[in-house]
Amino acid sequence: MEDLALPSLASTFGTPCHVYSHAALHANLRAFQTALAAHPAGADSLVCYAVKANSNLAILNLFARMGAGFDIVSGGELARVLAAGGDANKVVFSGVGKSGAEIHAALMAGILCFNVESAAELERIDEIAAALGKRAPVSLRVNPDVDPGVHPYIATGLKRAKFGIPIDAALALYEHAARLPHIAVRGVDCHIGSQILDPAPFGEALERLIVLIDTLGKGGIRVEQIDLGGGLGIAYRQDEVEPEISACLAPLLDRLRGRKLKIILEPGRRLVGQAGLLLTRVEYLKPGERNFAVVDAAMNDLLRPALYGAWHEIVAVEQKKTPTTRYDVVGPICESGDFIGQERELAIAAGDLLAVLSTGAYGMAMSSNYNTRPRAAEIMVEGKQAHVIRQREKTADLYALEHLLPAASISSIRPEIDK
Ligand code: LLP
């Protein structure tokens, strides 16, 4: 990882451990920013990092320093962005279930835009803005009914998804929004899905948005920004091809040329996914009908394989010449779904270090304390330096917010059952 050896990181910080490359994070964000800036249509543009992919403060802080905005989906993410030095007026707020308190906090912070996902949410934002004497900037998140061709759990732009406003209902809701006194219509937004490797659906969604923008214009509703969401995928497998960022953006930007729209993108995975790996050590080899390599990382550290059947490359950090064996790489959690990878050819022994690749996005962010397992440490490597950006959790922290029952309650435990 940059100038540091993974075995020394593992011995210094322990395993399991999420490790990120500062240089890769930096390069990924710059690639989006320069591709936009290099195109005439992208002169006014903003890359809003989708915080949900990896919300560590150090990563948010790096991106904020580089001029990024942020796509948030909760009040918690807003608080993180502000704590990391992010600029509230570069924040867009997506999500189908924004609470009153979250809307209030976002209005007080002065965010750039709410991406509104329903008529009821629009009413709620208008009411809260009225109570605060403010006008809330909004885009409607329209659901363009485009198939992104990805796992159903991460496809969001199809009609049957819970996300967005059906595109055929958008016009009427825009007309309504334009009449609400505490709403300022700013733009149009969509997000069709995640881990998209074939960029064609982005073009299809854009076509539908342009039709909508033109129809709105004819009715006197002028929008000033277009948000195309996130979703650009990464190559998890060696045989997958990662579409180049500028090549994906070029046809979209060409289509927007001459329209004087501020362009917003919400990439998550593509900024952080390949910048991170998960270090884990083999605890036991358990041969049998299936050979298991039991490692110290588990589904609580990396949920993607268990939840989506997702594939992450697993490599032995110190390559050996010994013959390989086919292993299921599994964690210590009491679930048969707790695997990191299945049927992997590895030459390994107990105590060996493995690197699970491409875990920077939706790795730590989806981690949990299931089986009372402390969350792993997070380390950002910058050249020869290793920064601890999140300490390993301590076991006692995991139950620090819990309380025993009062003594009186214990003595009166249901005597009829105890008899
Ligand atoms: N904008 C919105 C409104 C989103 O819902 C998402 C992701 C993004 C942007 C960023 O998408 P990205 O560029 O990262 O694809 N846990 C899943 C992915 C869930 C994505 C949810 N929404 C996984 O591990 O594959």
Side-chain angles (χ1 to χ4, degrees), residues 50 52-53 71 73 94 141 154 156 191 193-195 229-232 236 266-270 304 308 361-362 366:
K52 64 169 77 72
D71 166 50
V73 289
S94 308
R141 174 173 175 182
I154 55 176
T156 49
H191 170 77
S194 195
Q195 183 50 14
L232 196 57
Y236 284 101
E266 303 170 355
R269 187 188 320 265
R270 191 61 191 256
R304 302 191 71 257
Y308 314 113
Y362 307 108
M366 294 174 79

Side-chain angles (χ1 to χ4, degrees), residues 143-149 155-159 192 200-202 204-206 208:
N143 183 330
D145 195 22
V146 164
D147 186 355
T156 49
L158 277 168
K159 231 181 200 160
I192 58 172
F202 291 114
E204 264 179 72
L206 175 60
R208 296 184 189 181

Side-chain angles (χ1 to χ4, degrees), residues 244-303:
E244 213 205 317
I245 291 166
S246 57
C248 283
L249 293 183
L252 306 176
L253 292 166
D254 286 346
R255 196 64 187 85
L256 288 167
R257 200 189 283 262
R259 284 183 171 264
K260 293 215 167 52
L261 287 167
K262 181 188 184 81
I263 299 174
I264 297 175
L265 300 175
E266 303 170 355
R269 187 188 320 265
R270 191 61 191 256
L271 296 188
V272 294
Q274 300 291 33
L277 58 79
L278 173 62
L279 274 182
T280 182
R281 213 175 269 289
V282 179
E283 295 279 8
Y284 304 102
L285 294 181
K286 189 175 173 187
E289 198 179 302
R290 286 178 87 85
N291 296 306
F292 294 104
V294 185
V295 299
D296 62 6
M299 65 190 282
N300 75 299
D301 302 296
L302 181 67
L303 184 60

Side-chain angles (χ1 to χ4, degrees), residues 29-30 33 45-47 62-70 90:
L29 174 58
R30 272 290 180 262
Q33 291 173 324
S45 58
L46 184 63
V47 180
L62 168 63
F63 288 165
R65 290 199 224 181
M66 293 175 65
F70 298 93
K90 291 183 180 171

Side-chain angles (χ1 to χ4, degrees), residues 47-87:
V47 180
C48 290
Y49 167 58
V51 173
K52 64 169 77 72
N54 188 324
S55 55
N56 185 286
L57 291 195
I59 293 177
L60 302 182
N61 177 250
L62 168 63
F63 288 165
R65 290 199 224 181
M66 293 175 65
F70 298 93
D71 166 50
I72 60 163
V73 289
S74 70
E77 289 189 349
L78 175 60
R80 276 185 179 274
V81 166
L82 299 178
D87 209 343

Side-chain angles (χ1 to χ4, degrees), residues 345-365:
E345 292 291 334
L346 292 162
I348 47 173
D352 281 4
L353 198 58
L354 302 181
V356 186
L357 305 186
S358 320
T359 56
Y362 307 108
M364 185 64 174

